[in-house]
Amino acid sequence: MHVVDIDLQGFREVHAKATIEARNNACPALAIWRQDIGPFDPAGLLRPLFERSTRTFVWVSPETSVIAMGSATDFTHLGRDRFAGIRRGWEKAARTAVADGPGARGVPALVGGFAFAPRPGSLPEALMWVPRVLITQDRDGRATLALSVCVDPRGTTADGPARTAADAAALLGSAGVRPCPSPQLAGTNMIEVPSASEWKALVAHTVEQIRRGRFDKAVLARQLRVTSPCGYDLPSVMGTLLDTQPGSTAFAVAAYGQAFVGATPERLVSLRGGRAESMSLAASMPRGATPAEDACLRAALLEDDKSRREQKIVTATLRRAFEQVCGTVTVPDEPHVLDLPNLRHLHTRIVGEVADPESASVLDLVERLHPTPAVGGQPRRAALEWLGEAEPFDRGWYAGPVGWMNDDQEGDFAVAIRSAHLEEGTATLYAGCGIVAGSDPDAELEETRLKFRPMLNALAVPLSERAPYRRVECKDLD
């Protein structure tokens, strides 16, 4: 149990000031109260969070943990200018917002994300919101509670300070142990889209398009649709991802009776104190069964020409994007290997100092970078045109930007890969592969099946019911 003495009087004073702003401007105004609290375990809040609210956001990265419940106000936007539209909506709301309290500045204010492409889907193509209850913690254990109410100028606001504070206290007071993994679910039904044979034919066709000079790289995606007669326990799914995917960013967006969840190793961009950071993540190799095999596979990835070419395309594109907005950009000459529990990738860290930090917004950087060649292709337009022709489904939020932004429009966004869309008893998993000259259809098939495994494990799908996977050994790489 996490007991917090919420300063309700301070929140009420902020609410009263926001009420005056709302009436004077004849438009809704946000009342935001922030105060410091003691450290917490994000996993211990998962079950009470999902049980108490249908609108939730979870973000647990090595740097920041965010637990959000409910919505004080939403920001949505349709069309190709969706990133700028969300920024304009927030800037308009911020002009009349009243924020106070002894809590730390720079903590998240908005949470949410974006679909891969600006087209209608089961979740909005752009959705960020100010949570009613927002709990954040940095890597040093400093935690902040933010309470928000949107005040209606007509005085008809349903959620006042007392109710919001009570909901926050109940959530924190219900904190418990980490959720146990779900029991294995027998009787699941799994469908691969495209099928194995169709996928291999599509990869071969894409390699042919590359040979003809249409593009240099295209990132094809597959779906694995898993239906369970018992449904899925979201706290257990998220708890398993936290336990089994260290070093990744575990995330969940629950809204409109569905959820989008995952554990991604890939940061799109962060912006803090005028310092922007991204990563070039590409090429994949499995982990070995023994230390010797693992070391062999690690060396093979560094020496593999196809992998180096694939990752070089991503790095060069991100560098050029950073150079357009940053005074200085730092990119190492050589990539290093990022080791994950199931896979490893080539990784390069890209850092830049923003030339004009006063006007910079993390959403501007998100718009400039998304989609990177790691999830779309290069050249971008030609690759995306091919994906629109070739992929037999809409990606939804898969490989889109998910994250948070603070009052100063700094924040952190990840690329939502290694993810699944959950609705009722169906989980739709996604996995993608970067196709370049020399890509082998059989190897790309095995790679997608390996990438499905962490989410299948989180969903408690028995091993006997999972898609087959052939372990890659060092002798296969000779």
Side-chain angles (χ1 to χ4, degrees):
M1 179 177 292
H2 194 107
V3 179
V4 175
D5 183 16
I6 297 175
D7 186 352
L8 183 55
Q9 181 58 37
F11 190 16
R12 282 176 170 153
E13 291 174 0
V14 168
H15 184 270
K17 294 177 182 177
T19 301
I20 295 173
E21 285 288 331
R23 290 172 179 169
N24 288 344
N25 294 282
C27 66
L30 283 166
I32 305 172
W33 174 259
R34 297 188 180 109
Q35 66 178 72
D36 296 327
I37 60 174
F40 65 93
D41 177 14
L45 288 170
L46 291 174
R47 189 159 298 283
L49 173 72
F50 290 115
E51 289 177 349
R52 291 175 178 274
S53 180
T54 56
R55 172 67 70 85
T56 59
F57 179 88
V58 175
W59 169 285
V60 182
S61 75
E63 294 86 13
T64 310
S65 297
V66 181
I67 301 290
M69 181 175 74
S71 172
T73 189
D74 284 358
F75 300 93
T76 62
H77 197 82
L78 305 178
R80 296 188 179 278
D81 66 334
R82 55 199 172 131
F83 302 104
I86 296 294
R87 177 179 179 175
R88 290 192 300 268
W90 169 243
E91 288 174 341
K92 180 180 178 181
R95 284 195 290 268
T96 57
V98 179
D100 204 352
R105 284 189 57 82
V107 298
L110 278 77
V111 299
F114 302 82
F116 179 81
R119 60 174 65 101
S122 55
L123 285 171
E125 57 195 78
L127 172 64
M128 297 198 75
W129 70 94
V130 177
R132 292 179 61 240
V133 178
L134 180 67
I135 309 165
T136 64
Q137 182 169 262
D138 64 21
R139 65 166 60 202
D140 296 323
R142 293 188 295 265
T144 300
L145 170 66
L147 306 177
S148 300
V149 171
C150 189
V151 181
D152 190 289
R154 297 166 295 182
T156 58
T157 304
D159 295 326
R163 178 179 172 182
T164 302
D167 288 345
L171 173 65
L172 289 164
S174 300
V177 298
R178 304 171 75 89
C180 296
S182 296
Q184 290 198 340
L185 303 174
T188 54
N189 180 52
M190 300 190 2
I191 301 174
E192 293 181 299
V193 182
S195 67
S197 60
E198 292 169 334
W199 169 260
K200 289 191 287 186
L202 179 56
V203 171
H205 192 23
T206 303
V207 172
E208 176 61 20
Q209 296 296 312
I210 294 171
R211 188 190 68 79
R212 295 179 180 181
R214 183 171 179 179
F215 43 78
D216 298 323
K217 175 183 178 180
V219 183
L220 295 175
R222 297 183 77 211
Q223 286 183 343
L224 181 61
R225 300 171 186 170
V226 186
T227 303
S228 167
C230 303
Y232 301 101
D233 182 63
L234 199 48
S236 293
V237 171
M238 290 303 299
T240 300
L241 290 175
L242 289 177
D243 289 340
T244 61
Q245 301 301 311
S248 293
T249 295
F251 63 87
V253 178
Y256 309 106
Q258 54 201 292
F260 182 65
V261 303
T264 175
E266 187 170 357
R267 164 178 277 164
L268 178 61
V269 64
S270 69
L271 178 62
R272 294 186 179 90
R275 182 184 178 91
E277 183 172 332
S278 184
M279 65 164 62
S280 168
L281 191 73
S284 302
M285 188 77 73
R287 299 297 302 266
T290 66
E293 184 185 38
D294 200 47
C296 179
L297 289 168
R298 195 174 196 276
L301 179 60
L302 281 169
E303 296 170 2
D304 183 63
D305 177 67
K306 181 257 185 186
S307 297
R308 296 291 291 259
R309 284 188 287 111
E310 181 184 348
Q311 204 257 348
K312 186 177 180 180
I313 290 172
V314 180
T315 303
T317 302
L318 293 177
R319 179 201 288 266
R320 287 194 297 269
F322 264 50
E323 287 174 344
Q324 293 171 7
V325 296
C326 295
T328 59
V329 179
T330 303
V331 182
D333 293 332
E334 293 291 323
H336 78 271
V337 175
L338 177 66
D339 291 322
L340 301 171
N342 302 86
L343 282 167
R344 53 168 48 99
H345 306 283
L346 291 179
H347 168 276
T348 299
R349 183 176 177 226
I350 300 167
V351 178
E353 299 296 331
V354 176
D356 186 8
E358 292 297 322
S359 62
S361 168
V362 68
L363 289 180
D364 296 337
L365 294 171
V366 168
E367 181 175 24
R368 187 177 294 273
L369 296 173
H370 174 75
T372 73
V375 293
Q378 184 66 21
R380 178 187 289 180
R381 178 175 295 181
L384 294 180
E385 286 177 354
W386 174 245
L387 297 184
E389 297 173 20
E391 290 182 348
F393 53 79
D394 179 68
R395 292 188 176 191
W397 278 35
Y398 166 69
V402 172
W404 55 268
M405 185 173 76
N406 63 22
D407 291 347
D408 299 323
Q409 299 198 45
E410 297 189 332
D412 203 349
F413 281 80
V415 182
I417 57 174
R418 315 292 153 81
S419 53
H421 176 263
L422 277 57
E423 188 168 12
E424 297 181 346
T426 299
T428 303
L429 286 65
Y430 295 87
C433 291
I435 310 302
V436 296
S439 289
D440 175 65
D442 287 306
E444 304 299 344
L445 176 65
E446 297 298 335
E447 182 176 323
T448 63
R449 288 175 169 171
L450 186 59
K451 288 176 176 177
F452 285 138
R453 283 206 156 195
M455 187 58 67
L456 287 171
N457 181 54
L459 295 172
V461 176
L463 278 170
S464 60
E465 299 187 23
R466 302 182 190 180
Y469 169 65
R470 176 181 63 85
R471 175 173 290 280
V472 177
E473 299 180 354
C474 284
K475 63 183 180 181
D476 297 319
L477 303 171
D478 292 341

